[in-house]
Amino acid sequence: MTARESLSTGLSLPTPLTFRLRLAALVIGIFLIGANSFILSPILSDVAESLNTDAVPIAWAISAFGGATGLSAFFLSRLIDRFDARLIFSAAFVVMALGFLGSAITPVWQGLAAGQALVGVATGILLPAIYSEAVRIAPAGEGARFLGIVLSGWSISLIGGVPISALLSDMLDWRIAYAVLCGVAVLLALAFAMFRPSQPASVASSAGPARLEVLHIEGVKSLLVTCLCFMSSFYGTYALLGHHMRETLGISASAASMAALTYGVGFGVGGLAARHVDRLGPGRVFPYFLAGSCVIYLMLTAATQAYWTALLATLLLGFVNHFGLSLTVLRLAERNPAARGMLIGFNITATYIAVFCGPLLMGALYAAAGFGAVSAAAAILVAVAVILNWRIRRI
């Protein structure tokens, strides 16, 4: 191969090495998104003080990220099915890097919100692109396993990324954390630019089905409702779990934060066990994992009466929730490969609707009837998902 051919087609590497590098880049991409998703919460007061404001505008910056992600996933995810993955990833990570840079250098909270909105635009296309690419490059019959590997990036961000970011904020400055994320995004943009094109131009440029036409594909509506119910249960319960543990057990904030750590560990263990799902059949086992999540939510009120049982419950919840997320994505991706990016984009949109609605619903229940009502409502929502997926388990 000539130098000109190398430049035009991307980095020429042995196929196994290229595969491993691409898979590692996808994991790091999820880590980057996860780190940004969770970073502001533990350093919120530091950021507010630095920008001469209070906590509320900084919370608005988090909302700007979530809103931009949902809108981007809905309107831009179709690009994933029409253009080469190398172009999509490189451009999106450049946009993300600019958002991180703006977040790091802004002197006012409005700049932070704008930077986070820009990161959200990139995230809305990167999440479905990463999930779609993980399914695309997986060997036949190993979709759950390889998607599980990629999803381990969420666990890494929870277990390592967020604490390190908080440590950087404490020891140096919160802006350093965003500067580091910016650097990682630039490196990922360069890495994907060097890979070969992922698919032939004729395939990448095909139009595929229209946006609303994909909703008529068998099983798609049930899977999107599953995502909405499942994620509303998780985000609504997670938003109140730490507060409930502190009030019930009289523990510190750092002790309550261990629930997030054990959840992340359980989520990661779920990824290690994902290969067994491929053998059994994703559609067949999915309702059982959802039923397991339903049972844990029902038991959560009793489990949080003691510290160690609360941590055990969040560990188990993380394990079963890994399959709630990964199998929803995998099942959607299998509905129509020509519209894979758009289908997963709808899934991301449903997720961020749940991010908004879940805490609102559960917060109102908590104020009216306590945490028992929250865990019961979460169980009911997941039970709806169990019924929906039992009906479509064979398709």
Side-chain angles (χ1 to χ4, degrees):
M1 176 178 286
T2 66
R4 179 173 295 179
E5 288 171 333
S6 296
L7 288 172
S8 64
T9 60
L11 185 62
S12 179
L13 292 170
T15 300
L17 180 56
T18 304
F19 178 83
R20 292 189 183 96
L21 289 175
R22 187 182 292 273
L23 189 62
L26 295 176
V27 174
I28 297 170
I30 290 294
F31 162 80
L32 191 64
I33 293 169
N36 182 72
S37 298
F38 302 121
I39 188 177
L40 265 178
S41 180
I43 63 174
L44 192 143
S45 57
D46 295 336
V47 177
E49 182 179 357
S50 174
L51 299 181
N52 297 313
T53 186
D54 55 34
V56 174
I58 308 303
W60 290 343
I62 299 175
S63 297
F65 166 76
T69 298
L71 290 172
S72 173
F74 183 80
F75 288 106
L76 300 181
S77 58
R78 189 177 183 185
L79 299 176
I80 300 166
D81 304 313
R82 304 180 70 178
F83 295 97
D84 171 52
R86 181 175 62 171
L87 174 62
I88 293 293
F89 281 118
S90 298
F93 278 119
V94 167
V95 173
M96 178 173 278
L98 292 173
F100 285 141
L101 180 62
S103 300
I105 66 175
T106 180
V108 293
W109 71 264
Q110 292 91 338
L112 178 65
Q116 284 300 293
L118 199 57
V119 174
V121 170
T123 299
I125 194 168
L126 278 172
L127 272 179
I130 290 172
Y131 293 161
S132 178
E133 185 73 356
V135 174
R136 190 194 68 80
I137 68 175
E142 296 188 55
R145 178 190 170 203
F146 279 85
L147 189 56
I149 293 172
V150 170
L151 289 175
S152 67
W154 288 108
S155 297
I156 297 170
S157 69
L158 276 169
I159 297 170
V162 176
I164 291 172
S165 298
L167 185 63
L168 287 173
S169 178
D170 288 338
M171 297 183 63
L172 299 172
D173 188 271
W174 63 269
R175 299 177 188 273
I176 300 297
Y178 281 114
V180 171
L181 295 181
C182 176
V184 175
V186 170
L187 290 176
L188 284 173
L190 292 173
F192 277 103
M194 295 174 71
F195 289 130
R196 288 178 178 273
S198 297
Q199 53 190 342
S202 60
V203 176
S205 61
S206 61
R211 180 180 288 114
L212 296 183
E213 285 179 5
V214 301
L215 296 177
H216 299 295
I217 299 172
E218 187 179 14
V220 166
K221 291 178 182 177
S222 293
L223 288 165
L224 291 177
V225 174
T226 293
C227 175
L228 190 60
C229 292
F230 178 81
M231 289 300 185
S232 294
S233 298
F234 169 68
Y235 282 107
T237 305
Y238 182 81
L240 298 163
L241 181 61
H243 175 72
H244 170 68
M245 287 177 62
R246 294 190 68 183
E247 281 201 334
T248 303
L249 303 174
I251 57 177
S252 65
S254 58
S257 70
M258 286 297 294
L261 178 62
T262 54
Y263 179 89
V265 171
F267 196 92
V269 173
L272 296 176
R275 67 181 65 192
H276 302 295
V277 171
D278 289 312
R279 291 205 308 267
L280 297 170
R284 294 177 181 176
V285 301
F286 193 18
Y288 296 101
F289 282 113
L290 290 171
S293 179
C294 182
V295 171
I296 294 171
Y297 280 124
L298 281 175
M299 298 174 59
L300 201 54
T301 302
T304 50
Q305 298 306 302
Y307 185 63
W308 293 110
T309 54
L311 296 186
L312 176 61
T314 55
L315 179 74
L316 294 174
L317 189 63
F319 178 81
V320 295
N321 277 8
H322 174 276
F323 297 99
L325 172 58
S326 65
L327 294 184
T328 303
V329 171
L330 181 61
R331 296 275 282 154
L332 276 170
E334 292 173 340
R335 294 304 90 210
N336 187 334
R340 183 178 290 148
M342 190 168 17
L343 286 167
I344 300 177
F346 279 159
N347 179 74
I348 301 302
T349 299
T351 297
Y352 279 87
I353 291 173
V355 171
F356 178 77
C357 295
L360 284 179
L361 170 65
M362 299 303 188
L365 285 173
Y366 185 79
F371 193 76
V374 171
S375 61
I380 291 170
L381 285 173
V382 178
V384 172
V386 172
I387 295 170
L388 289 173
N389 283 274
W390 183 261
R391 293 173 56 193
I392 63 170
R393 67 190 184 280
R394 299 190 185 280
I395 65 171

